[in-house]
Amino acid sequence: MKRVLVTGAAGFIGSHLTDALVARGGLEVRGMDNYATGMRGNLRKSWKSIDFIELSLLDREGLTEACDGVDTIFHQAALPSVPRSVKRPRQSHAANVDGTFNVLDAAREAGVKRVIYAASSSAYGNQPGFPRVETMRPEPLSPYAVQKLTGEYYMQSWWQVYGMVTVSLRYFNIFGPRQVATSPYSGVMAKFALQLLEGKQPTINGDGEQGRDFTYIDNVVQANLLAAEAPAEKVAGKVFNIACGERHTLNETYASMARLLETKIAPKYGPPRDGDVRDSLASIQAAKDAFGYAPVVGFEEGLRRTVEWYKGRYRK
Ligand code: UD1
């Protein structure tokens, strides 16, 4: 790995990954983003050390330039959110499916050696059987889940057909500093942190007993760095869960967050959300065996750091 491209570099996950790649040293780091959900401010730390291109995934010609000379791509750019994909499926399909295809097509043309792809735990859907293991047959529920799974299949095909080393990392509910908190489509942690800091009453969809394998951002950064350097025979064309291997309910998560923010605001309960998965819990054994992945920051510590960051940013 010498010259890398991070797509979605100004986003929540992409910017943390960019910072880590810059800090690692010895790399030429290029970032691209169209600022659809990302922000230039997220790249404050790395801005002077990277080559940045403002570019959409749908600009196929622009991607040729972005991939030029690159050996490894971290494809993090996407339009996230299950509810966004339910409301505007065409828009998220374009970014998540056409965009991913464009990245792979340009990567092939440019002779890129490896692509690490941000896949999603939503691929598992509501089938029985916990923890989720990668050998389970995917049962995507929402358009978002289908789109992210389609990207995985393209990754696998590029390995099978063109011999490009592609690795899909199925992220399980990543949270941490810089996650957008102000959008109706924000992840639940960011949304609740901001609402509580503003003294607003958050809404829990359903009974709050749905569980998630909430995973702090540093773990996903670590997984990407390891997957990028793992021997090809261990990772090529494969899919790996990236999580902590613990399930926390929304009620429990809410209570921990409220405690850390020293607030007594109780949540409202609303109807369950369309396309929502009931439970999520990963086995992280495959990533451990293939490239030595292990979570570096646990749920409690991650939550503490996250709350501190939102306090610093939003508390008046
Ligand atoms: C899903 C995927 C995750 C993916 C993410 C991208 C699963 C298990 N996870 O996350 O891999 O990266 O999409 O967006 O499919 N909630 C509330 N109130 C709110 C907001 C959310 O109760 O105001 C609830 C949701 O209904 C859900 C849980 O919190 O039950 C988590 O929601 P969210 O943070 O949006 O992530 P997922 O949809 O689980």
Side-chain angles (χ1 to χ4, degrees):
M1 174 161 80
K2 281 202 174 71
R3 281 198 194 155
V4 304
L5 168 68
V6 180
T7 72
F12 160 48
I13 297 174
S15 66
H16 283 282
L17 181 57
T18 301
D19 288 346
L21 289 162
V22 168
R24 182 185 172 280
L27 294 174
E28 280 178 46
V29 183
R30 185 177 291 161
M32 61 167 271
D33 206 296
N34 67 343
Y35 299 124
T37 62
M39 283 176 291
R40 185 172 152 177
N42 286 340
L43 284 171
R44 204 171 290 125
K45 241 198 235 171
S46 299
W47 189 254
K48 291 208 170 95
S49 314
I50 65 168
D51 163 27
F52 184 83
I53 307 175
E54 186 173 340
L55 186 71
S56 159
L57 293 171
L58 300 179
D59 182 344
R60 176 61 189 81
E61 269 175 42
L63 279 167
T64 294
E65 210 177 303
C67 291
D68 186 41
V70 164
D71 55 69
T72 305
I73 298 179
F74 297 91
H75 179 37
Q76 309 299 309
L79 263 187
S81 166
V82 167
R84 185 203 317 260
S85 78
V86 172
K87 194 150 188 213
R88 307 191 66 182
R90 182 176 291 278
Q91 186 198 36
S92 60
H93 178 96
N96 300 338
V97 180
D98 298 337
T100 295
F101 176 82
N102 283 343
V103 168
L104 282 172
D105 193 40
R108 183 168 73 91
E109 182 190 57
V112 170
K113 295 196 174 66
R114 191 175 289 220
V115 180
I116 317 288
Y117 167 65
S120 169
S121 66
S122 55
Y124 292 107
N126 268 336
Q127 63 187 290
F130 291 96
R132 301 312 200 192
V133 284
E134 296 84 345
T135 46
M136 285 173 165
R137 186 172 173 273
E139 285 188 21
L141 286 173
S142 60
Y144 178 77
V146 173
Q147 293 155 12
K148 279 282 160 180
L149 183 61
T150 304
E152 283 185 21
Y153 290 144
Y154 266 123
M155 292 290 150
Q156 286 168 14
S157 164
W158 253 235
W159 161 242
Q160 297 294 341
V161 176
Y162 305 116
M164 189 187 294
V165 177
T166 54
V167 192
S168 296
L169 302 179
R170 278 189 188 158
Y171 298 166
F172 281 66
N173 291 73
I174 314 303
F175 72 100
R178 303 183 194 158
Q179 192 168 26
V180 176
T182 48
S183 155
Y185 303 123
S186 290
V188 72
M189 290 276 206
K191 209 168 171 184
F192 283 1
L194 178 58
Q195 287 170 334
L196 288 173
L197 280 165
E198 288 181 334
K200 293 183 182 148
Q201 192 182 21
T203 300
I204 289 183
N205 305 323
D207 63 5
E209 286 305 300
Q210 64 267 50
R212 292 290 184 273
D213 199 333
F214 288 110
T215 306
Y216 188 67
I217 180 69
D218 288 19
N219 301 318
V220 83
V221 167
Q222 176 77 356
N224 274 276
L225 298 180
L226 291 167
E229 311 233 69
E233 64 272 19
K234 299 226 167 165
V235 295
K238 295 196 174 136
V239 172
F240 298 97
N241 293 337
I242 300 302
C244 280
E246 285 173 21
R247 171 186 174 275
H248 297 271
T249 67
L250 216 50
N251 285 328
E252 183 195 335
T253 304
Y254 184 94
S256 300
M257 192 177 273
R259 184 171 26 81
L260 287 167
L261 285 167
E262 293 167 356
T263 172
K264 295 212 165 5
I265 298 173
K268 284 183 276 202
Y269 286 84
R273 202 174 70 179
D274 286 342
D276 222 10
V277 157
R278 177 68 184 176
D279 269 314
S280 182
L281 168 67
S283 160
I284 50 176
Q285 194 62 42
K288 188 177 174 194
D289 293 346
F291 47 88
Y293 167 77
V296 285
V297 177
F299 175 78
E300 302 293 342
E301 175 59 15
L303 195 56
R304 200 189 59 73
R305 292 189 196 181
T306 304
V307 162
E308 279 310 304
W309 187 83
Y310 283 102
K311 263 199 217 167
R313 178 157 180 153
Y314 291 107
R315 185 163 267 173
K316 283 160 196 122

